[in-house]
C-alpha cells in the first residue's frame, strides 16, 4: 500500500483552558470508524499541558502507554506506587494490565511553561497481565543519525524499555539538516515528525505531519532541516496475536 500522509491540521483536537490535545486517531468524543488505529497503535496524541495543570487520577486497563516528552517535564504517579518525572530524552511506559490508576501533571507549577508531549497507546499481546512501569534516560543514545529502539516487545530488539507486544517497536531518530536514515521494514509503519522537516519518497513532511503505510520500509528518510522523528514498526494489527 502506498503511504498515506496525515497533515498536522487534519487531526481533530480537544481543547480546554489547560490542555490542547491533537488526536491522530479516534479518541474521546471524537470517533471516526474509518480512523481507529494503525497496526497495533490505538492512540497517538500530541498534548500541550499548561503550567501546574494535568490529568488527575484516572483508570486504565489492558493498554501499553508510552510517553515521549518534547519539552518541559511531566510528573507521573500511579496506584502501584510508581512515580517519576518524565523529560526530553527519557523513555517511559506504563502497562495498565488488569487495571491501574495514575495521574500526569505538568512539573512546572511555578512558571508559565507548558509541557509538550506525545502519548501513544499500543494493544498488548494478552490480557490479564500485572500492571507495571518503566523509565530510562536515553539522552546519550540520541546522537544524530542513530535509529534508537525506544520501546519494544520484539525479542530480537534490545530496546530501552519493554512493552507487552511482541510485534511492535518504537524508534526515535534525530537528524541534522541533510542527514538521512533508512526506515525499518514493517508490516505496519507509523511515522510522526515531532520537529523539523523531512522528505520520504519525495514527499515533504513538516512538524506534526505523519505517514502511515503497510508493507513498507527500506526507504530513505532525509532531513530538510534539523529534525526528530518517531517511527512505529509493527508486524501485527490490533487484536492479532
Amino acid at each position: 500500500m502506498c503511504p498515506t500522509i496525515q497533515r498536522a491540521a487534519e487531526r481533530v483536537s480537544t481543547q480546554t483552558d489547560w490542555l490542547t490535545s491533537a488526536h491522530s486517531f479516534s479518541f474521546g468524543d471524537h470517533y471516526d470508524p474509518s480512523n481507529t488505529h494503525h497496526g497495533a497503535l490505538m492512540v497517538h496524541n500530541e498534548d500541550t499541558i499548561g503550567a501546574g495543570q494535568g490529568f488527575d487520577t484516572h483508570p486504565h486497563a489492558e493498554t501499553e502507554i508510552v510517553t515521549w516528552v518534547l519539552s518541559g517535564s511531566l510528573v507521573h504517579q500511579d496506584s502501584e506506587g510508581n512515580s517519576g518525572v518524565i523529560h526530553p530524552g527519557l523513555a517511559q511506559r506504563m502497562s495498565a494490565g488488569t487495571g491501574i490508576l495514575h495521574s500526569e501533571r505538568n512539573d512546572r507549577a511555578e512558571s508559565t511553561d507548558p509541557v509538550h508531549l506525545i502519548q501513544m497507546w499500543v494493544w498488548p499481546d494478552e490480557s490479564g497481565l500485572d500492571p507495571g512501569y518503566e523509565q530510562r534516560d536515553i539522552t546519550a543514545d540520541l546522537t544524530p543519525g542513530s535509529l534508537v529502539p525506544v520501546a519494544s516487545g520484539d525479542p530480537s530488539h534490545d530496546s530501552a524499555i519493554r512493552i507487552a507486544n511482541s510485534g511492535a517497536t518504537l524508534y526515535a531518530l534525530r537528524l541534522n539538516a541533510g542527514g538521512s536514515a533508512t526506515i525499518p521494514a514493517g508490516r505496519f509503519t507509523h511515522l510522526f515528525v515531532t520537529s523539523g522537516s523531512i522528505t520520504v519518497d519525495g514527499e515533504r513532511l513538516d512538524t506534526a505531519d505523519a505517514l502511515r503505510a503497510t508493507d513498507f520500509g527500506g526507504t530513505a528518510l532525509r532531513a530538510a532541516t534539523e529534525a526528530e522523528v518517531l517511527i512505529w514498526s509493527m508486524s501485527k494489527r490490533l487484536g492479532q496475536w
Side-chain angles (χ1 to χ4, degrees), residues 69-206:
V69 171
L70 304 179
S71 64
S73 54
L74 188 74
V75 175
H76 166 95
Q77 293 181 313
D78 65 47
S79 55
E80 295 292 303
N82 302 301
S83 63
V85 178
I86 313 163
H87 53 77
L90 186 103
Q92 185 256 22
R93 66 99 176 133
M94 184 183 75
S95 298
T98 54
I100 197 169
L101 300 172
H102 82 137
S103 63
E104 296 170 303
R105 300 190 66 83
N106 188 329
D107 191 33
R108 299 187 175 182
E110 297 180 358
S111 77
T112 59
D113 294 334
V115 57
H116 185 195
L117 61 101
I118 307 297
Q119 189 165 92
M120 299 154 282
W121 300 9
V122 176
W123 195 259
D125 281 342
E126 57 184 300
S127 59
L129 299 175
D130 291 334
Y133 181 85
E134 186 179 11
Q135 66 178 51
R136 181 179 171 188
D137 193 325
I138 59 171
T139 304
D141 299 324
L142 295 167
T143 56
S146 297
L147 194 66
V148 180
V150 174
S152 181
D154 187 333
S156 67
H157 289 300
D158 184 19
S159 60
I161 55 176
R162 306 302 294 173
I163 56 175
N165 186 306
S166 60
T169 300
L170 171 66
Y171 298 91
L173 172 66
R174 292 179 178 175
L175 290 170
N176 292 327
S180 65
T182 300
I183 298 172
R187 186 177 171 201
F188 300 95
T189 299
H190 184 276
L191 181 154
F192 183 83
V193 183
T194 66
S195 65
S197 298
I198 64 169
T199 58
V200 179
D201 276 347
E203 188 78 45
R204 182 178 173 115
L205 283 79
D206 297 314

Side-chain angles (χ1 to χ4, degrees), residues 10 19 31 38 43 67 87 91 103 112 116 134 199 209 217 223 233:
E10 296 172 354
L19 170 70
Y31 179 70
H38 183 68
V43 170
T67 301
H87 53 77
S103 63
T112 59
H116 185 195
E134 186 179 11
T199 58
D209 288 345
S233 180

